[in-house]
Amino acid sequence: MGKITIAIDGYSSTGKSTIAKQLAKSLGYVYVDTGAMYRAVTLYAMRQGYIGGKEENMDKLIADLPNLSIKFVYNESLGFSEMYLNGENVEKEIRALPVSRLVSKIATLEAVRIKLVAMQQEMGKEKGIVMDGRDIGTVVFPDAEFKIFMTASPETRAFRRYKELLDRGEEVTYDEVLKNVQSRDYIDSHREFSPLKKADNAIEFDNSDMGLKEQLERIHNFALRKI
Ligand code: C5P
């Protein structure tokens, strides 16, 4: 069986990564969470004081990009890859709300996108990959054989995210999560470089009223028809 490229794009907290991860597992493909890459750059910018403090300095971040190393390292016992920033495991920190609040701003920067897209294209050059993000089917792999665009109502998505953050022990309110989801969607869809949009040949998949098992079954079947 030939290997293909699978691009999963869509709005924030639509469950893209859960689906992508499981789909990759069942097909024996590599899974890449590109959101984690933008989150790691954001964490770096926060730690260096380029964003999130009194003053913002995006030019300094751009000049500093060559000093930033981001890498996925496979964790055998967990069965998935974790994000490392300059050698440090930052998996937990990049998922927390402070990073979520600033990541979409960092993702508007063309220089950041150029660096990350080049890394993503390199990771997927052998095919046999499931990659999720916002611009995978439109910019990173416009020739991907199978593209999905995931949507769900903002309230459904915020509620799922809220539960996930609570489970991880974070102190958040539903309202602040909803606000974050809506603001990221807005910035992601309106930015100048590679805005979030459905690729013409992507299948739109609304999972507002669908459980995980059903989503996986359907998407897996779609994928098998393309392989
Ligand atoms: O997928 P996740 O919610 O972790 O992505 C975090 C943010 O990273 C998105 O809201 C978006 O601003 C940015 N992103 C992007 N392009 C991608 C993946 C993520 O701009 N391919």
Side-chain angles (χ1 to χ4, degrees):
M1 227 185 325
K3 294 202 165 188
I4 64 166
T5 301
I6 300 180
I8 304 190
D9 290 302
Y11 293 100
S12 301
S13 307
T14 37
K16 296 184 297 296
S17 24
T18 310
I19 293 290
K21 210 185 268 182
Q22 306 234 19
L23 183 63
K25 204 173 205 173
S26 63
L27 296 173
Y29 279 21
V30 171
Y31 163 60
V32 177
D33 168 7
T34 62
M37 300 169 76
Y38 289 91
R39 287 173 179 274
V41 176
T42 305
L43 180 61
Y44 181 79
M46 289 163 72
R47 287 179 172 180
Q48 299 297 112
Y50 302 145
I51 195 171
K54 280 197 192 116
E55 281 174 38
E56 274 184 11
N57 200 331
M58 295 301 122
D59 290 341
K60 273 201 176 160
L61 168 64
I62 291 167
D64 206 5
L65 284 178
N67 300 319
L68 173 128
S69 141
I70 56 177
K71 223 180 248 168
F72 288 106
V73 178
Y74 188 72
N75 181 324
E76 200 86 40
S77 58
L78 293 175
F80 55 82
S81 294
E82 294 179 300
M83 173 50 74
Y84 281 69
L85 168 63
N86 290 340
E88 175 194 346
N89 184 333
V90 291
E91 190 56 34
K92 187 156 191 270
E93 227 175 319
I94 59 168
R95 312 287 169 189
L97 209 47
V99 170
S100 300
R101 286 202 186 98
L102 298 172
V103 61
S104 288
K105 176 136 202 208
I106 296 294
T108 62
L109 301 172
E110 189 182 24
V112 170
R113 304 204 70 84
I114 289 173
K115 179 177 168 108
L116 299 190
V117 167
M119 289 173 68
Q120 292 152 10
Q121 288 172 334
E122 180 64 27
M123 289 186 248
K125 68 175 194 248
E126 308 287 346
K127 296 186 181 269
I129 195 158
V130 182
M131 195 172 274
D132 83 46
R134 304 293 186 289
D135 58 344
I136 312 304
T138 50
V139 174
V140 182
F141 294 119
D143 297 330
E145 289 84 353
F146 179 37
K147 300 180 187 178
I148 301 184
F149 190 83
M150 309 252 295
T151 65
S153 73
E155 291 74 17
T156 307
R157 295 186 280 125
F159 190 66
R160 286 183 192 149
R161 189 71 168 190
Y162 170 62
K163 281 204 314 203
E164 205 178 289
L165 290 170
L166 285 189
D167 285 347
R168 273 199 237 136
E170 284 201 41
E171 285 182 22
V172 288
T173 64
Y174 168 77
D175 283 345
E176 60 185 339
V177 176
L178 176 63
K179 224 170 110 194
N180 176 254
V181 161
Q182 287 172 323
S183 112
R184 280 202 284 145
D185 287 348
Y186 185 85
I187 302 174
D188 292 345
S189 315
H190 291 83
R191 68 185 173 218
E192 185 182 357
F193 306 108
S194 332
L196 165 66
K197 62 170 189 241
K198 180 183 158 307
D200 291 339
N201 53 353
I203 295 175
E204 186 159 339
F205 196 86
D206 185 327
N207 65 11
S208 302
D209 302 309
M210 221 184 276
L212 189 58
K213 193 164 170 271
E214 186 182 351
Q215 290 180 55
L216 254 175
E217 259 170 35
R218 288 203 193 190
I219 292 178
H220 192 250
N221 285 338
F222 281 138
L224 289 180
R225 277 187 234 146
K226 304 277 181 178
I227 295 176

